[in-house]
Amino acid sequence: MSVEKVEYKGWANCYKISNGEVELIVTGDVGPRIIRFAFIGGENIFKEYPDQMGKTGEAAFQLRGGDRVWKAPEDPIATWAPDNVPVTIEVTPNGVVAREPVEPLTGLQKEIAVSLAPTGSNVTVYHRITNHSLFPLEFSPWALTMMAQGGMVISGFPPRGHHPQNLEATNPLTMWAYTNLADPRWKFTRKYLTLRQDPNNNEAQKLGMFNQDTWAAYLRKGEVFVKRGTADPSKQYPDFGCSFETFTNNEFLEIETLGPLTKLAPGKTVELVEHWGLFRNVKLDAITDDDLDRAILPLVRQVPAV
């Protein structure tokens, strides 16, 4: 295990966390962001905007890429509060904690804590938001990971059953005004939802759903990134009950998990925990239940549930 301060694409104050197999880069000049996750010497599985790398201090929010934490439901002003100033970095035995100053616009303070396993590719990521305003605020923690172009996300539905033995509803499937289920980038099997990122299609697409075992896998160039969490069916979630959402346009695909709606008193913190994994030499022959069961599901099971 090593944690070292490094320069990364114009930012002088980044931190590289590595165990000799995989590495993560956490930004110190903006954020909190995890801007890179890759095998040593390999290609970043996360999206990067080259024209936004190395820059700070912009007045408006910058997409930049990588993994970030937001508040949900989405608000065009408060959710999109800029994260363009330096963050404090605390080095821990297995990673770092990156913490922004309190946002003047919202009174919130966001942080991301990263812990990498000594071997393999398992990472635990804690997405936290603290309320420093004078009043209780109700929102959900929202972890958004922007994936590089040209891949496909896979997520599983809750366990399937049969009629008439199983008559109860299992989960919502939430649409946005711009969702088009006839778009060929979507494909559904009985057990899975998939969405393909197409650099030549600039029409936005998004869906959300609830699954107690909330997970997603992103397949790109034979590598698979997995993020996994746990949702509580006894609690209320935003966007008609979503613990998972995915979005794409021509620039990136986003994998998103959400925590329950929480009325957060001043001085209190809410946390959303994810486990990540990264795998290579993965071959998917077709988008069918059998092929996804064979190629993807065993990788998901190697990433611990929260």
Side-chain angles (χ1 to χ4, degrees):
M1 276 292 305
S2 66
V3 180
E4 59 178 318
K5 188 176 180 180
V6 297
E7 184 275 340
Y8 187 73
K9 298 192 175 180
W11 285 309
N13 300 295
C14 292
Y15 286 77
K16 182 170 74 171
I17 308 157
S18 175
N19 61 8
E21 299 178 54
V22 297
E23 64 182 22
L24 302 103
I25 300 285
V26 178
T27 58
D29 297 291
V30 294
R33 294 286 180 114
I34 305 170
I35 197 65
R36 174 176 166 85
F37 186 30
F39 292 102
I40 300 297
E43 191 172 343
N44 191 4
I45 194 82
F46 291 168
K47 169 70 178 181
E48 295 179 1
Y49 279 87
D51 61 328
Q52 298 176 20
M53 298 293 105
K55 296 181 180 179
T56 65
E58 300 95 336
F61 177 82
Q62 304 294 301
L63 284 171
R64 298 201 200 279
D67 180 80
R68 69 187 187 276
V69 56
W70 265 5
K71 61 180 285 292
E74 188 166 3
D75 178 312
I77 298 175
T79 300
W80 286 68
D83 59 355
N84 303 328
V85 298
V87 300
T88 61
I89 300 289
E90 173 190 346
V91 177
T92 65
N94 297 310
V96 301
V97 181
R99 184 179 299 112
E100 72 169 359
V102 177
E103 295 175 350
L105 182 66
T106 66
L108 300 179
Q109 184 177 38
K110 297 166 184 167
E111 69 177 63
I112 295 178
V114 183
S115 179
L116 175 61
T119 61
S121 67
N122 280 351
V123 183
T124 305
V125 184
Y126 305 84
H127 301 85
R128 301 178 181 130
I129 305 178
T130 301
N131 180 11
H132 287 285
S133 75
L134 299 177
F135 308 100
L137 299 171
E138 187 173 44
F139 60 87
S140 294
W142 186 10
L144 306 97
T145 310
M146 299 175 69
M147 310 308 299
Q149 291 169 298
M152 179 180 69
V153 68
I154 303 112
S155 188
F157 296 123
R160 304 291 83 194
H162 299 277
H163 186 277
Q165 294 91 336
N166 305 105
L167 297 177
E168 70 282 1
T170 59
N171 60 285
L173 190 64
T174 300
M175 301 172 66
W176 275 253
Y178 52 87
T179 304
N180 176 10
L181 297 181
D183 190 301
R185 288 171 292 179
W186 294 111
K187 185 165 184 181
F188 302 89
T189 70
R190 184 169 182 270
K191 297 166 63 175
Y192 299 97
L193 169 159
T194 73
L195 175 62
R196 180 173 50 86
Q197 200 287 324
D198 182 354
N200 298 310
N201 191 333
N202 63 4
E203 294 292 328
Q205 290 296 321
K206 186 170 185 176
L207 276 178
M209 66 177 175
F210 182 90
N211 190 349
Q212 186 170 352
D213 182 11
T214 300
W215 66 266
Y218 190 70
L219 172 64
R220 179 179 183 267
K221 297 182 179 181
E223 294 186 354
V224 170
F225 165 76
V226 173
K227 64 187 290 182
R228 190 176 184 188
T230 299
D232 186 343
S234 70
K235 296 183 178 178
Q236 183 182 359
Y237 283 72
D239 300 335
F240 298 99
C242 291
S243 65
F244 166 80
E245 295 173 0
T246 186
F247 170 92
T248 196
N249 57 21
N250 60 315
E251 297 180 344
F252 62 91
L253 184 144
E254 206 158 52
I255 302 172
E256 311 167 4
T257 66
L258 302 98
L261 285 164
T262 303
K263 192 169 186 178
L264 198 64
K268 297 299 184 180
T269 301
V270 67
E271 178 180 82
L272 177 61
V273 183
E274 295 180 334
H275 288 303
W276 294 358
L278 190 61
F279 306 90
R280 53 186 162 191
N281 301 321
V282 180
K283 188 175 186 299
L284 179 65
D285 294 323
I287 304 174
T288 65
D289 282 335
D290 288 345
D291 284 282
L292 292 167
D293 284 348
R294 175 192 57 77
I296 303 300
L297 200 55
L299 307 181
V300 175
R301 289 172 175 162
Q302 290 184 51
V303 176
V306 176

